[in-house]
Amino acid sequence: MDTRIFRNLQASLSGKRSDTLRSVGSSIIARFLLAFLLGQAITALPVSSQAASSPGLSVARDGTLLRNGAAYRGVGVNYTDAFLRPLRHPEDESYRDDFRKLADNHIPFARITACGFSASDYQLYLQDKEKYFKLLDGVVQAAEESNVGLIANLFWVSYTVPDLVGEPRDQWGNSESKTRQFMRTYTREVVSRYVNSPAIWGWEFGNEYNLSLDSPDFWRNLPPVNPHLGKMRSRGPDDTLTTEMFTSALSDFARTVREIDGHRILLTGNHIPRLSAYHMQTQKRPGADSPEQFATMLLRQSPGPFNPVCIHEGPLSPQLHFERRPVSYNELIQMCASAARSASKSLYIEEFITCPPKTECGIATRRESVNQVLAAIQANKVPLAAVWVYERKMIHDPNSLSFDDDTASVLQMIGDFNRKSSPAQGRAQLVHTSTDFQ
C-alpha cells in the first residue's frame, strides 16, 4: 500500500478506494464459474513436476499452496525498504539485521520491491547494471543467510517503466512497445539471476495496478507529474489503463518468467477490486456491481497462472453494501476465498494494515486489527498473508512496525500465530547457502 500512487482516487477510511465489496455468498460463485472459465484471456500454465523439490512456493492443480511438496500457511511482512534503502544509500545494509529479527521471531517471509520506485531510481541500472544488481544480491543473500523467504515485486509503480522509456502508461497494452520490451528484459535478468536462490518464494508483477483500470473519468486517475523524479512532464488520456491492457501485460510477464522458472508462484500484486470495476470495464461508467460481477472481476484481474489471488484489505468497522447491511471483515475474506477456490486458486491477503491512514493508532487498536485478520485467516483457511509494513524508514508511515519500539508486540503476535498454527513452518526452513549470483 502506498497512497501516493493513487492520490487522485477518492480514498476510503482504509486509504483504499471506498467502492470495495464486502460480501457475497459462496453459492453465488458457482453460478458464474462457467462463464469465468470460458472468458479467461490467459491460459493457465502447468506447474513443474519438480516443484516439490524446488525452492520457493508453488501451487497444486487444485490451487493448494505448496512448499517442499506440502501444504503451506504463513503470515509475513511487506518490507518495501529492503532494496530501496541500499539502492538510494548503498552503504545502508540494515536489512541484514532486519531479516535476522524476522527469522528469530517466526516470521518466514517478506514481500520486497526488487526494483526502483520512480524512474530516477533506475539511473544506476542504466549506467552500471552490475553494480545495481550487486546491491540487490546483498538483499537476497542476507535473506538466505537468515532463512527468510522473499516475494519479489518487479514493477511496483504502474507509471515508472513507461516514464523511464519515454512512453505513456497505456503502452503496457502494446506488446511491441518499449515499456513491454523493458519489462521482458528486466524480468529475464532478475529471474535468471535468482532462480536458484532458496530465498525467492515467488515473482510478482506490480502493486495495485487494478485500482487504475477502466476509469471513465481519466483525469481523476492520472499519474503524478514530477520531472525531477524522471516522471513525464504532462499526462493525458493515453496514460489511462484498461483491463485488457493490464491482462495483456500480465500474460507477457507470466510467459517471460516461465521461460526460466517453471514452478514458483506468480502474483499480480492487486488490491481488492473496486466496487464498480465490472461496470467500468463493460459499460464504461461507474455503477454498483452485483456480488456476481464483483467476484467475476476478482478473478478476471488475476487470470490464468496468477495464483494465489492477491487482495489488499485490512479490517474496518462494518460498512453497508449491496443489501444495505453491515458486512464484517470475516465475511469479506470468506467471499474472496470462495471465489478463488471456485477457480482452483488460493487467496493471499497480501497487505493488511493495522492503523487507518493519517492516524496514529495505539497498540491496543493495532493488536485488535491483527486479531481480526488472524481470525479470518484461520476461519477461511487462507494460506498466505502479510502485514503492511515492516521497518519503513524512507517515508513516514503510521503503519510501520519495528522490533525496536512498542509495535514489536504486533509483530510478535504474527510470529506466535505462525508458530502455533504451523509449528514446523513457523520459521522458514531454507537450505542454508550463500549463492553466487551472475
Side-chain angles (χ1 to χ4, degrees):
M1 179 190 71
D2 196 315
T3 55
R4 294 180 304 168
I5 300 174
F6 304 105
R7 64 184 181 184
N8 294 316
L9 294 174
Q10 181 180 357
S12 68
L13 292 177
S14 67
K16 305 292 186 178
R17 287 290 302 180
S18 60
D19 53 356
T20 50
L21 172 66
R22 296 297 189 263
S23 177
V24 65
S26 60
S27 62
I28 293 174
I29 304 301
R31 297 205 297 268
F32 71 83
L33 175 58
L34 180 58
F36 160 73
L37 293 174
L38 292 175
Q40 282 296 280
I42 302 176
T43 302
L45 302 178
V47 175
S48 169
S49 61
Q50 298 180 350
S53 60
S54 301
L57 298 177
S58 61
V59 287
R61 293 189 180 278
D62 66 357
T64 301
L65 189 67
L66 303 174
R67 185 156 184 274
N68 297 325
Y72 180 79
R73 175 188 290 177
V75 181
V77 298
N78 285 270
Y79 183 20
T80 56
D81 278 10
F83 178 52
L84 284 178
R85 283 205 300 261
L87 180 58
R88 297 176 182 178
H89 307 286
E91 73 285 353
D92 190 338
E93 295 187 351
S94 54
Y95 55 80
R96 296 184 183 277
D97 190 46
D98 291 342
F99 284 136
R100 283 193 290 267
K101 290 175 181 176
L102 289 176
D104 289 344
N105 287 274
H106 304 281
I107 298 180
F109 74 93
R111 176 187 180 226
I112 69 166
T113 55
C115 60
F117 186 89
S118 295
S120 58
D121 289 323
Y122 286 87
Q123 293 309 302
L124 180 61
Y125 173 83
L126 297 175
Q127 296 168 6
D128 192 336
K129 191 173 293 188
E130 192 57 29
K131 184 178 291 186
Y132 175 92
F133 279 114
K134 285 298 182 183
L135 293 174
L136 187 53
D137 289 351
V139 175
V140 176
Q141 287 174 333
E144 289 183 4
E145 292 165 2
S146 292
N147 291 339
V148 171
L150 299 176
I151 290 177
N153 183 297
L154 302 192
F155 305 101
W156 187 266
V157 182
S158 65
Y159 53 79
T160 296
V161 172
D163 284 356
L164 184 65
V165 299
E167 292 182 334
R169 191 168 55 163
D170 67 359
Q171 291 306 293
W172 277 117
N174 178 1
S175 64
E176 302 303 319
S177 67
K178 295 177 182 178
T179 296
R180 290 275 283 271
Q181 291 172 17
F182 183 94
M183 182 273 289
R184 289 188 289 267
T185 297
Y186 190 77
T187 300
R188 289 188 183 108
E189 289 173 343
V190 174
V191 176
S192 296
R193 193 174 186 97
Y194 305 115
V195 67
N196 294 318
S197 171
I200 301 295
W201 280 19
W203 306 108
E204 182 169 88
F205 177 68
N207 182 63
E208 300 184 348
Y209 283 38
N210 66 322
L211 288 184
S212 299
L213 304 180
D214 307 312
S215 177
D217 300 327
F218 72 87
W219 60 88
R220 297 180 182 274
N221 192 28
L222 292 177
V225 174
N226 189 337
H228 295 294
L229 295 178
K231 300 173 184 177
M232 301 291 280
R233 294 182 179 274
S234 62
R235 304 290 187 183
D238 52 2
D239 282 296
T240 59
L241 283 175
T242 66
T243 295
E244 291 76 17
M245 294 173 188
F246 179 54
T247 55
S248 174
L250 286 177
S251 176
D252 200 353
F253 176 75
R255 284 192 297 267
T256 304
V257 173
R258 285 291 182 250
E259 291 171 0
I260 304 162
D261 186 339
H263 77 278
R264 283 187 180 88
I265 58 172
L266 297 174
L267 302 162
T268 61
N270 282 348
H271 191 282
I272 199 166
R274 297 164 68 185
L275 185 58
S276 58
Y278 186 90
H279 275 75
M280 290 193 299
Q281 186 199 2
T282 62
Q283 301 180 30
K284 312 305 179 188
R285 63 176 177 82
D289 291 350
S290 69
E292 297 95 332
Q293 290 167 342
F294 171 85
T296 295
M297 294 308 294
L298 179 73
L299 297 177
R300 185 171 292 169
Q301 293 175 358
S302 297
F306 288 87
N307 187 1
V309 173
C310 295
I311 63 169
H312 297 178
E313 190 76 333
L316 295 172
S317 299
Q319 297 188 26
L320 299 178
H321 291 282
F322 295 118
E323 298 88 2
R324 306 300 298 170
R325 66 179 183 84
V327 177
S328 70
Y329 184 71
N330 184 70
E331 288 177 294
L332 170 63
I333 300 307
Q334 182 181 39
M335 171 266 163
C336 292
S338 296
R341 283 194 292 270
S342 75
S344 297
K345 297 189 179 190
S346 56
L347 182 67
Y348 175 21
I349 307 174
E350 185 171 62
E351 292 184 13
F352 63 89
I353 60 174
T354 62
C355 181
K358 299 182 181 180
T359 64
E360 300 293 338
C361 292
I363 295 302
T365 299
R366 290 174 179 268
R367 291 175 64 89
E368 176 56 30
S369 294
V370 174
N371 273 329
Q372 289 187 53
V373 175
L374 298 181
I377 289 171
Q378 190 80 1
N380 298 289
K381 298 180 172 59
V382 176
L384 211 61
V387 68
W388 182 273
V389 57
Y390 177 60
E391 289 290 358
R392 195 174 196 195
K393 298 176 180 177
M394 302 298 292
I395 64 171
H396 174 70
D397 191 321
N399 278 282
S400 186
L401 302 169
S402 174
F403 288 107
D404 298 328
D405 58 33
D406 58 359
T407 62
S409 65
V410 177
L411 292 166
Q412 289 162 357
M413 287 177 65
I414 294 170
D416 288 343
F417 177 85
N418 287 327
R419 181 171 50 81
K420 293 174 182 177
S421 63
S422 301
Q425 303 177 41
R427 174 171 174 153
Q429 299 297 313
L430 304 180
V431 178
H432 187 78
T433 181
S434 181
T435 307
D436 292 325
F437 304 116
Q438 54 183 328

